[in-house]
Amino acid sequence: MRVARIGAAPKGLFAAGRLLAHLGDRPAQVTMLDPQQPGTGAAYQPEQPAWLRLNVASSLVDAGWHSGPRPSSGWLTTFDQWRQDSGEAQPLDPFPARGRVGAYLAW
């Protein structure tokens, strides 16, 4: 199967991940087309100034896979868990910088 996806921002990346998970061991080629780094889109560029904040609670940001077949790497950690694992000070700010979200999505 060959699939082209225009847009590799969070929703596009999540859609590609779900597609690949559903395909299991069947071969597939997914091409993502986006001028930005995959995962971040324009809204979550890691280089943004820190004063640009997330406008939803950080606990809602989750690139994890929680049902059905799971991809082999990188998709099982929530944003807040990733922040803890990377040494961010506790308690976690529920509205961190959007660039921090971009670093997670790029990861």
Side-chain angles (χ1 to χ4, degrees):
M1 173 186 287
R2 293 175 56 196
V3 176
R5 168 78 165 101
I6 298 174
K11 294 291 185 179
L13 193 64
F14 298 164
R18 291 180 69 96
L19 172 65
L20 293 173
H22 283 292
L23 289 173
D25 292 334
R26 290 175 283 178
Q29 176 184 343
V30 177
T31 302
M32 306 289 287
L33 305 167
D34 198 307
Q36 306 295 331
Q37 178 177 349
T40 65
Y44 298 104
Q45 289 295 304
E47 301 81 21
Q48 292 183 61
W51 53 266
L52 289 174
R53 311 297 280 185
L54 188 63
N55 61 345
V56 298
S58 64
S59 61
L60 298 176
V61 180
D62 184 359
W65 186 261
H66 302 288
S67 64
R70 295 175 182 227
S72 60
S73 66
W75 289 78
L76 304 178
T77 301
T78 66
F79 175 50
D80 282 346
Q81 184 62 55
W82 177 84
R83 293 166 70 196
Q84 290 176 27
D85 293 348
S86 61
E88 195 166 321
Q90 301 289 326
L92 295 175
D93 180 351
F95 300 100
R98 295 176 79 83
R100 189 79 173 127
V101 177
Y104 164 70
L105 295 171
W107 170 80

